[in-house]
Amino acid sequence: MLLNGLTDYAYIEILNMILSSEIKPGERIREDLLAEKFGISRTPVREAVNQLVQNGFIVNVKRKGLYCVKLSKEELLDLLELRMVLESMSFNKCIERATDDEIQSLRKIINDFNEKYTRIISDINSDCMGKVSKLHNEYDVRFHVSIANVSRSSKLIKYINEVENLLLIARQRIYRNENEGRAIVLLSWKQHEQIVKAIENRDKTAALDMLSQHLKLMKETQIEVNES
C-alpha cells in the first residue's frame, strides 16, 4: 500500500506518463530525473517506483536499471486470459447485484463516450484518430472498472484495474489507419451496449458471450500489431 502525500503523487504522475506513452514501453526510467521533473526528493519517487515494480508497470533489470514494462506477445495473451477470468467473475456479480441506478450509470458512460466521439470526428482541424484512441482507452477502462465496482469486492476491483491499466500500455497504437481505427472503436462500443443490455436482463450467458467477443476483438487488433 502506498504512503500518503508525495509518494502517492509520484506514483500517479509516473503511471500517467507510462499510460500516455510519455514513457514508452522498454524505455529506461531514472529516479533522479523524475524527482527533478516533479520538484521533490528521490525518496518518494523511489517508493513510488518500487510500488510500480510490484504492480508490473516497471521492471528492475539486474545490473542495468529500471525500465518501463514492454509486453511480449505471450505476456499479452496471458493478460487477456487473466482478464477473461477476472471479468467473468465481475460480470456475474454485477448481474446479481446491480441496481437500476448502477445500470443507468453504465449507460451514461456509453452516452458520454458517444457524445465526445461525435465532437472529435466533427472537428476537421483536430488530430482525429489520436484523440479518438485516447478517449476510447480512457472510457473503456472506466466502463469495465465500473462493472467491477458493482461487485463490492475490493480485491477484484484492484486486480481488474491493474490488468486494464497494463493492457493500456499495449493499446497505445493499435490502429494502422483512421478507417480501421474508427471501425474498431465503434464495434467495441456496440459490444459495450450489448453487455449493458445483458446485465439489465440478468442474462449471464449473453454477458459472458459478449465479453468473450469483446476480448477477441482486442486480441485481434493488438496481437496483429505486436507481431508486425
Side-chain angles (χ1 to χ4, degrees):
M1 181 146 182
L2 287 175
L3 300 175
N4 292 325
L6 291 178
T7 300
D8 286 332
Y9 166 75
Y11 181 95
I12 292 169
E13 289 298 312
I14 298 169
L15 181 58
N16 285 338
M17 290 172 71
I18 291 171
L19 297 181
S20 67
S21 282
E22 186 176 346
I23 297 176
K24 295 178 173 54
E27 183 177 334
R28 187 175 181 186
I29 293 171
R30 289 181 51 183
E31 294 174 352
D32 58 332
L33 295 182
L34 290 172
E36 182 179 344
K37 177 181 177 67
F38 303 150
I40 59 178
S41 71
R42 290 184 62 174
T43 299
V45 171
R46 184 178 302 111
E47 291 170 348
V49 166
N50 288 340
Q51 187 67 45
L52 287 161
V53 170
Q54 291 181 35
N55 291 343
F57 296 101
I58 294 175
V59 293
N60 192 345
V61 181
K62 192 173 182 179
R63 292 191 294 273
K64 289 188 177 180
L66 299 162
Y67 294 84
C68 178
V69 65
K70 184 175 183 179
L71 297 172
S72 67
K73 175 185 174 182
E74 291 74 19
E75 289 168 331
L76 182 53
L77 286 170
D78 288 344
L79 274 177
L80 288 171
E81 288 181 9
L82 178 58
R83 181 177 173 184
M84 183 68 194
V85 172
L86 291 172
E87 291 211 83
S88 294
M89 295 176 59
S90 175
F91 278 32
N92 280 333
K93 290 184 180 295
C94 183
I95 287 170
E96 292 169 1
R97 301 175 181 177
T99 65
D100 290 344
D101 286 345
E102 286 169 329
I103 292 172
Q104 287 307 309
S105 293
L106 294 175
R107 291 194 183 281
K108 186 177 186 305
I109 293 172
I110 296 173
N111 292 338
D112 287 350
F113 169 83
N114 286 334
E115 289 177 7
K116 291 182 179 180
Y117 172 85
T118 300
R119 286 202 297 269
I120 289 172
I121 63 173
S122 65
D123 182 1
I124 60 174
N125 296 317
S126 71
D127 171 19
C128 182
M129 206 55 236
K131 291 182 178 179
V132 166
S133 179
K134 182 178 180 180
L135 179 72
H136 170 59
N137 290 342
E138 176 188 344
Y139 272 77
D140 186 67
V141 171
R142 185 179 303 179
F143 178 80
H144 288 274
V145 171
S146 293
I147 291 176
N149 286 338
V150 179
S151 74
R152 327 280 197 250
S153 169
S154 59
K155 291 293 186 184
L156 185 58
I157 295 166
K158 176 179 182 293
Y159 295 147
I160 287 177
N161 198 32
E162 287 178 3
V163 169
E164 290 279 358
N165 281 328
L166 275 170
L167 285 170
L168 271 186
I169 299 172
R171 295 173 64 177
Q172 297 304 320
R173 296 188 178 276
I174 63 175
Y175 318 125
R176 290 176 297 185
N177 58 65
E178 186 168 325
N179 289 335
E180 179 188 57
R182 287 193 190 185
I184 291 169
V185 168
L186 291 176
L187 176 56
S188 178
W189 284 89
K190 286 185 182 297
Q191 291 174 341
H192 286 156
E193 292 174 3
Q194 291 301 310
I195 287 169
V196 174
K197 182 177 180 180
I199 291 171
E200 187 173 38
N201 293 335
R202 313 296 173 176
D203 189 337
K204 292 184 178 180
T205 300
L208 294 181
D209 178 65
M210 189 51 60
L211 173 62
S212 179
Q213 292 184 44
H214 194 56
L215 296 188
K216 182 173 182 286
L217 175 66
M218 181 188 294
K219 177 180 176 180
E220 289 174 346
T221 57
Q222 290 179 352
I223 297 296
E224 181 181 13
V225 173
N226 282 340
E227 288 179 329
S228 62

